[in-house]
C-alpha cells in the first residue's frame, strides 16, 4: 500500500499565493498581519512538502520558479475549493463597501482591486472613488464601512497608513506663457488639495487661473499630459512621464500628505472583510 499523502497547509498555500501576486514577502506579511520570517518559514515548509522550489529569492526581487508558476493556479483553486467546502462562497456571502480618495487611487488601482478580489472571491467588494471630504461624509453616515483618504483638517480618528510627497506636475513639453496666469487643472472646486494649492499660490503672489476643473484623476492627468495645465498632486497619482516643475518655476512648497484609514470593521466578527481590507491597504501602501 502506498503511503498516504499528508494534506497541504492551507495557511502556507495562501501565503504563497500572496507572495506570488505581490512579489514581496514584506507586503504579504503586512496583508496577513504577520512577520516576514513567519511567511518565509511557511513557504520553506510548503516547498519541502511538495519537494519543489516554488520561489527564486534575491535581496531585491521575488520571482516564481517554473514549478511555482505551475503550482500557482492549482494553489488558487485549492483556496477557492476550501471556501466552497465551508459553504462560505456565495454571490454576496460577505460585503465590504470601501471608499478610496481620488487623490490616493492611482493608475495601479485596477490591478490592486483584481488582486484583492482574487484573494477572497467570497467577499463582495464595493468601491467608491470620490474626494476625501465626500467619502468621509459617507463614512460618517454609515454608507461605507471603511475609507482610505487624505487627512482632512484636525480629524484624528483614523489610522495613518502612509505619508506621501506632493508636487506641481506638468507635461515635459509644457512651458509657462510670459504675462499669462499660471494655468491649473484641479479635481473639484471643493477639493481640499485645490484649496491648499491656490492658498499657497495666493500667499506667494502668483497669479493663476483654473482652466480645467473636475472629472477625476484620469481627466486631470489627461489635461496635464496634453500640456493644457499643471496641477498639485500626490506623487502616486501623477501622470506617466509628468515632471515636478515646482523648483523650476519657484512655486511654493507643498506639505506632505497623510493618507488615513478610517474603518468600522470588527476584525473579530468580520474576519474575512477585515482581511480583504488589510490586503487593500497593503497594496495601496506599496503601489
Amino acid at each position: 500500500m502506498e503511503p498516504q499523502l499528508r494534506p497541504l497547509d492551507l495557511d502556507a498555500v495562501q501565503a504563497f499565493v500572496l507572495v506570488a501576486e505581490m512579489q514581496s514577502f514584506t507586503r504579504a506579511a503586512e496583508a496577513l498581519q504577520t512577520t516576514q520570517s513567519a511567511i518565509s518559514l511557511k513557504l520553506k515548509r510548503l516547498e519541502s512538502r511538495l519537494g519543489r522550489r516554488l520561489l527564486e529569492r534575491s535581496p531585491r526581487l521575488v520571482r516564481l520558479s517554473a514549478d511555482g508558476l505551475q503550482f500557482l493556479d492549482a494553489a488558487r483553486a485549492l483556496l477557492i475549493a476550501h471556501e466552497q467546502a465551508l459553504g462560505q462562497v456565495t454571490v454576496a456571502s460577505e460585503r465590504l463597501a470601501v471608499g478610496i480618495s481620488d487623490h490616493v487611487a492611482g493608475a495601479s488601482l485596477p490591478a490592486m482591486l483584481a488582486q484583492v478580489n482574487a484573494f477572497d472571491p467570497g467577499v463582495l467588494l464595493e468601491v467608491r472613488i470620490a474626494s476625501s471630504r465626500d467619502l468621509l461624509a459617507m463614512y460618517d453616515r454609515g454608507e461605507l464601512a471603511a475609507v482610505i483618504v487624505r487627512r482632512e483638517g484636525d480629524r484624528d480618528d483614523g489610522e495613518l497608513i502612509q505619508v506621501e510627497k506632493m508636487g506641481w506636475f506638468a507635461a515635459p513639453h509644457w512651458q509657462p506663457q510670459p504675462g499669462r496666469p499660471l494655468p491649473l487643472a484641479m479635481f473639484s472646486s471643493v477639493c481640499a488639495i485645490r484649496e491648499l494649492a491656490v492658498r499657497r499660490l495666493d500667499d506667494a503672489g502668483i497669479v493663476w487661473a483654473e482652466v480645467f476643473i473636475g472629472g477625476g484623476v484620469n481627466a486631470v492627468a489627461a489635461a496635464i499630459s496634453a500640456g493644457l495645465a499643471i496641477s498639485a498632486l500626490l506623487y502616486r497619482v501623477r501622470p506617466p512621464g509628468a515632471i515636478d516643475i515646482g523648483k523650476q518655476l519657484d512655486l511654493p512648497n507643498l506639505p506632505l500628505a497623510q493618507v488615513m484609514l478610517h474603518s468600522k470593521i470588527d476584525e473579530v466578527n468580520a474576519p474575512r472583510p477585515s482581511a480583504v481590507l488589510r490586503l487593500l491597504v497593503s497594496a495601496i501602501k506599496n503601489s
Side-chain angles (χ1 to χ4, degrees):
M1 178 181 297
E2 294 184 359
Q4 186 176 9
L5 295 177
R6 292 181 291 108
L8 296 177
D9 180 350
L10 290 174
D11 288 342
V13 174
Q14 183 185 55
F16 164 73
V17 170
L18 276 180
V19 170
E21 292 177 342
M22 307 186 85
Q23 298 183 336
S24 167
F25 281 83
T26 302
R27 297 176 192 176
E30 288 179 355
L32 293 174
Q33 288 192 318
T34 186
T35 64
Q36 184 175 339
S37 59
I39 293 289
S40 181
L41 180 59
K42 285 179 184 291
L43 294 187
K44 285 180 180 178
R45 288 175 176 171
L46 180 62
E47 289 177 325
S48 176
R49 170 69 184 81
L50 293 172
R52 298 286 188 273
R53 188 175 183 82
L54 302 177
L55 299 167
E56 301 293 345
R57 301 168 176 85
S58 69
R60 295 185 178 180
L61 188 64
V62 177
R63 290 188 298 186
L64 292 179
S65 66
D67 287 328
L69 284 170
Q70 185 176 10
F71 180 63
L72 182 57
D73 286 342
R76 288 172 174 152
L78 176 60
L79 294 176
I80 292 173
H82 176 254
E83 294 296 328
Q84 290 174 331
L86 293 176
Q88 292 184 337
V89 173
T90 62
V91 174
S93 57
E94 300 270 4
R95 175 176 174 265
L96 173 58
V98 60
I100 305 175
S101 167
D102 44 16
H103 284 289
V104 175
S108 59
L109 182 64
M112 287 190 293
L113 294 180
Q115 182 183 95
V116 170
N117 187 57
F119 173 70
D120 189 345
V123 175
L124 178 61
L125 183 62
E126 299 177 6
V127 179
R128 181 70 175 265
I129 306 295
S131 71
S132 295
R133 210 170 272 178
D134 288 344
L135 291 176
L136 281 169
M138 295 175 66
Y139 174 78
D140 290 339
R141 292 195 299 265
E143 298 171 17
L144 296 171
V147 292
I148 301 170
V149 296
R150 179 179 174 273
R151 183 189 287 277
E152 286 285 320
D154 297 328
R155 185 163 180 158
D156 59 1
D157 59 325
E159 172 191 344
L160 177 64
I161 61 174
Q162 196 165 34
V163 176
E164 297 239 6
K165 287 179 62 178
M166 293 178 60
W168 298 96
F169 288 99
H173 62 274
W174 181 84
Q175 293 293 329
Q177 298 297 316
R180 293 186 179 180
L182 186 71
L184 299 181
M186 293 294 177
F187 286 81
S188 165
S189 60
V190 295
C191 172
I193 289 183
R194 175 202 178 276
E195 294 173 1
L196 168 68
V198 299
R199 185 169 63 249
R200 292 286 173 101
L201 292 174
D202 288 341
D203 291 344
I206 297 174
V207 180
W208 54 271
E210 284 179 308
V211 300
F212 187 96
I213 302 175
V217 64
N218 290 333
V220 171
I224 293 172
S225 298
L228 298 179
I230 73 169
S231 186
L233 296 172
L234 273 67
Y235 266 67
R236 71 159 44 246
V237 296
R238 66 189 185 276
I243 59 174
D244 187 344
I245 60 165
K247 290 185 178 179
Q248 177 186 332
L249 297 185
D250 197 26
L251 297 178
N253 291 330
L254 295 169
L256 294 174
Q258 294 182 320
V259 180
M260 309 294 296
L261 168 67
H262 299 263
S263 174
K264 299 174 183 175
I265 299 173
D266 186 333
E267 293 188 8
V268 175
N269 295 319
R272 295 175 66 198
S274 177
V276 169
L277 180 62
R278 287 199 307 269
L279 179 58
L280 178 60
V281 169
S282 179
I284 288 175
K285 286 172 63 176
N286 294 284
S287 63

